[in-house]
Amino acid sequence: MAILEFRPSTPLTMGVELELMVVNRRDSDLTRGASELVRLLAGGKQPGDARQEITDSMLEVSTRPLSRHREVRTELRLIRDAVVAAADRLNLLVCGGGAHPFQRWPERQVTKRPRYQHLAAVYGYLAKHVTIFGQHVHIGCADGNTAMLLLHGLSRYIPHFLALSASSPYYQGVDTAFHSARLNAMAPYPTSGHAPYIETWGAFEEYYRTVKSCGIIESTKDLYWDIRPKPEFGTVEVRVFDTPLTVEKSAILAAYVQILCRRMLVENRPIPPRTSYLVYAYNRFQSCRFGLDGDLIDPVTHQHRTVREDVLQTLAALGEHARELDAEQPLFEIEQWTRNGICDARWLRERYAITGSFVDLVWHQAQLWRGTDGA
């Protein structure tokens, strides 16, 4: 009998999870407060869910499964407004971004939930070191085989997701020279990076049984892959995005994943060959380091182009699918970002250049996330 049931969900529905910074108004540093925010939000009427993450400076919020970009955008705005109101009551700030610019990991407090205490016992300082902030996008799947198809198909677009969401140029008080430095903190984990090349749900169940019986993992939550199946939700989950600076951008990025998935399913695209993963780490690094200007090797033809060129080429083939999903506006926005080099990492560097103050920068990040002018 299978021990890992895949519970089907409505195909192509979207769910968004956002990890957010909880910030002290006095000095813009991370501070404890996620548990209190969760308590306040539990009594609210906003949709979705809110929970603590591994340290008490991290708040995770999530939407319900939704079908259209405009629904995701509306729900994220409602969640944001509720979070802002709760933070104001506690005299705290909340903001987006993939990494806090100057916090020091030894000062973080691991959440007292048993799972997180166990992770701290296993991973030591890494449990605090991963006080980093990402966006996760879930896409509904009819069955486990579809989830595996989309997992491997979406791996082709990991450089797009990283370059378009990059918002962590600063880390531990320095400019890292990366557009997205967040994923570097995950590298030491034994189950990070890309998923193994497993084509069917039956084969994944066998893999899961093996690694669980070896004591490597306790559940799929311990698989920190860039993309992973989420059988209890009936989804495939893309996990590489930095948390954007606005909820509007979060909704657009989710729509991009949905459009790509529709194209794969409607056009009956096969699982990419195993050899496509030979260039995966290189492409991933280039997009983290250089964003849209990074070098990308086509996994099939081995031709080189920039991430920007690859995004634009991909967008040109997505028009019909965007129309069917009422997502033409998100596609247009992504095209404008790509052509004009607009990204959150660039905004952060330009904002910091004005005053040279990380305290000022984080304050403006918080204003931007709450929907006011952060300039």
Side-chain angles (χ1 to χ4, degrees):
M1 182 177 179
I3 62 170
L4 193 63
E5 178 188 3
F6 190 94
R7 300 176 181 175
S9 63
T10 304
L12 295 178
T13 49
M14 295 176 283
V16 174
E17 298 169 343
L18 293 176
E19 295 166 343
L20 302 168
M21 305 182 201
V22 181
V23 175
N24 192 320
R25 283 182 180 269
R26 177 176 52 83
D27 59 9
S28 293
D29 200 357
L30 290 181
T31 190
R32 300 180 69 175
S35 56
E36 286 299 296
L37 284 169
V38 170
R39 181 182 62 80
L40 287 179
L41 291 166
K45 296 181 179 180
Q46 75 282 349
D49 193 20
R51 64 184 71 86
Q52 291 175 265
E53 253 294 337
I54 191 165
T55 69
D56 200 37
S57 303
M58 305 174 69
L59 174 70
E60 183 180 88
V61 296
S62 57
T63 71
R64 299 168 297 177
L66 301 164
S67 297
R68 293 293 185 262
H69 160 258
R70 62 178 179 275
E71 298 170 343
V72 174
R73 183 184 60 200
T74 297
E75 188 150 308
L76 284 174
R77 285 173 172 170
L78 291 171
I79 293 169
R80 175 201 61 197
D81 292 347
V83 169
V84 166
D88 286 347
R89 287 180 60 184
L90 296 170
N91 200 32
L92 298 171
L93 294 173
V94 174
C95 64
H100 188 277
F102 64 89
Q103 67 94 13
R104 299 296 178 181
W105 66 262
E107 299 172 5
R108 307 283 66 84
Q109 298 292 322
V110 175
T111 302
K112 292 184 179 180
R113 288 167 59 183
R115 168 173 162 75
Y116 293 137
Q117 290 294 314
H118 171 72
L119 291 177
V122 171
Y123 291 111
Y125 87 102
L126 292 176
K128 295 182 178 182
H129 200 250
V130 291
T131 303
I132 50 177
F133 305 86
Q135 170 175 338
H136 305 161
V137 177
H138 291 261
I139 299 294
C141 300
D143 52 54
N145 285 337
T146 300
M148 300 311 295
L149 167 67
L150 293 179
L151 184 157
H152 294 298
L154 288 169
S155 69
R156 167 67 176 78
Y157 304 102
I158 287 293
H160 297 199
F161 303 154
L162 287 167
L164 292 169
S165 70
S167 63
S168 52
Y170 300 112
Y171 189 62
Q172 303 284 297
V174 299
D175 188 328
T176 65
F178 278 69
H179 282 233
S180 174
R182 181 181 65 91
L183 286 183
N184 295 335
M186 292 299 303
Y189 281 73
T191 57
S192 65
H194 68 74
Y197 192 78
I198 299 171
E199 298 183 68
T200 66
W201 188 249
F204 180 80
E205 287 181 316
E206 180 61 32
Y207 168 86
Y208 177 81
R209 282 193 289 268
T210 300
V211 294
K212 187 174 183 181
S213 67
C214 290
I216 297 172
I217 63 171
E218 293 186 356
S219 73
T220 55
K221 291 182 179 180
D222 299 319
L223 299 173
Y224 301 119
W225 299 331
D226 295 344
I227 312 175
R228 70 183 179 188
K230 197 69 172 171
E232 62 269 39
F233 293 165
T235 65
V236 61
E237 179 188 8
V238 181
R239 300 168 46 81
V240 294
F241 296 105
D242 281 3
T243 296
L245 299 182
T246 67
V247 294
E248 288 78 15
K249 186 164 191 174
S250 296
I252 288 170
L253 293 173
Y256 187 43
V257 180
Q258 184 193 39
I259 295 166
L260 288 168
C261 288
R262 185 183 192 279
R263 182 194 186 195
M264 291 177 216
L265 296 178
V266 169
E267 297 182 6
N268 198 27
R269 289 176 169 254
I271 288 181
R274 184 187 301 268
T275 54
S276 65
Y277 281 109
L278 294 176
V279 299
Y280 185 95
Y282 176 85
N283 288 344
R284 186 179 187 263
F285 170 82
Q286 284 283 317
S287 55
C288 285
R289 173 66 175 85
F290 301 106
L292 291 166
D293 294 322
D295 183 46
L296 183 146
I297 302 174
D298 186 290
V300 176
T301 67
H302 298 169
Q303 293 180 329
H304 289 250
R305 62 177 71 96
T306 65
V307 177
R308 174 180 286 102
E309 290 168 336
D310 200 65
V311 172
L312 291 174
Q313 185 177 82
T314 301
L315 294 176
L318 296 179
E320 173 190 346
H321 304 287
R323 284 190 294 275
E324 290 296 323
L325 294 168
D326 299 324
E328 292 173 285
Q329 184 63 29
L331 213 64
F332 173 78
E333 294 289 345
I334 292 171
E335 181 179 3
Q336 294 305 300
W337 299 345
T338 305
R339 291 191 185 281
N340 298 314
I342 298 171
C343 70
D344 287 346
R346 175 179 169 182
W347 184 93
L348 289 163
R349 285 191 168 109
E350 290 176 348
R351 179 69 242 181
Y352 178 71
I354 295 172
T355 63
S357 167
F358 284 133
V359 173
D360 174 84
L361 176 62
V362 174
W363 187 86
H364 280 280
Q365 283 179 243
Q367 303 314 304
L368 195 61
W369 196 79
R370 71 190 291 146
T372 59
D373 185 5

